[in-house]
Amino acid sequence: MRIQLLAIGFAVLAAHADDISCRVVGVTDGDTLTCLTGSNEQIKVRLAQIDAPEKAQPIGQRSKESLSDLSFNKNVTLKVETTDRYGRTVATVMDGSTDVNLLQVKRGMAWVYDKYAHDQSYFDAEDVARTGKVGLWVDKNPIEPSKWRKGER
């Protein structure tokens, strides 16, 4: 019994080993921010599962402002998933029990990044925002940031 409890304890610790507590010190756009850890380590964070409009896109600035309202100067927890090819930490940003990434989608300030999404609640939130014509969904044919970056305007 003790060995089982010990094993469970280690599993719980391992599951949370990638969590990072930090303070948001900068917001680049609607899906990228910078955090500062307690040991003054600066971390560039790409929000997992979402893709926000580029700054030059319609609603791009509003998306950035939304992420700032949700996170700037707040102590958050990063639920780390991976590191991307640019060296950014890809994570879900949690403000207490609030999933900031998901809230960006609910506010219509980001798409679900189909290629990397794995949580059905993100798709459900996007459907609600799209149906309600919230945020970027006011536009009849909003252009996904991945297509915008490739010049498909």
Side-chain angles (χ1 to χ4, degrees), residues 7 9-10 17 25 38-39 47 52 55 59-60 62 72 78 82 106 114 117 119 135 140 151:
F10 283 130
V25 295
S39 60
L47 276 63
K55 286 185 265 188
I59 214 166
R62 281 188 46 211
F72 184 71
L78 305 177
T82 190
K106 286 180 177 180
D114 292 348
D119 184 335
K140 271 187 162 183

Side-chain angles (χ1 to χ4, degrees), residues 24 26-33 47 52-72 100 104 107-110:
V24 178
V27 176
T28 306
D29 56 29
D31 59 23
T32 310
L33 52 80
L47 276 63
E54 299 297 323
K55 286 185 265 188
Q57 277 187 266
I59 214 166
Q61 189 59 38
R62 281 188 46 211
S63 178
K64 176 185 176 180
E65 290 167 4
S66 174
L67 184 56
S68 287
D69 291 344
L70 292 169
S71 65
F72 184 71
V100 173
Q104 278 288 85
R107 289 179 165 191
M109 295 295 142

Side-chain angles (χ1 to χ4, degrees), residues 3-152:
I3 293 173
Q4 282 180 320
L5 289 175
L6 198 54
I8 291 169
F10 283 130
V12 169
L13 284 175
H16 295 289
D18 290 332
D19 289 359
I20 299 171
S21 295
C22 58
R23 184 172 50 88
V24 178
V25 295
V27 176
T28 306
D29 56 29
D31 59 23
T32 310
L33 52 80
T34 304
C35 269
L36 196 61
T37 67
S39 60
N40 285 329
E41 177 188 359
Q42 191 169 305
I43 303 171
K44 191 78 158 177
V45 180
R46 173 68 166 77
L47 276 63
Q49 302 192 71
I50 71 170
D51 199 13
E54 299 297 323
K55 286 185 265 188
Q57 277 187 266
I59 214 166
Q61 189 59 38
R62 281 188 46 211
S63 178
K64 176 185 176 180
E65 290 167 4
S66 174
L67 184 56
S68 287
D69 291 344
L70 292 169
S71 65
F72 184 71
N73 210 24
K74 291 188 179 182
N75 292 318
V76 299
T77 301
L78 305 177
K79 303 283 187 185
V80 177
E81 291 189 12
T82 190
T83 301
D84 71 9
R85 62 184 171 164
Y86 303 109
R88 299 175 298 189
T89 297
V90 179
T92 300
V93 178
M94 300 297 295
D95 178 14
S97 62
T98 301
D99 180 339
V100 173
N101 307 28
L102 181 60
L103 207 43
Q104 278 288 85
V105 174
K106 286 180 177 180
R107 289 179 165 191
M109 295 295 142
W111 277 260
V112 175
Y113 208 160
D114 292 348
K115 186 175 177 181
Y116 301 106
H118 50 78
D119 184 335
Q120 184 59 43
S121 64
Y122 282 71
F123 294 98
D124 297 342
E126 182 179 288
D127 288 344
V128 170
R130 185 187 306 248
T131 302
K133 299 194 182 318
V134 176
L136 66 91
W137 302 110
V138 169
D139 190 339
K140 271 187 162 183
N141 295 304
I143 300 169
E144 293 177 42
S146 58
K147 292 179 181 175
W148 177 272
R149 288 187 293 269
K150 291 177 184 168
E152 297 176 33

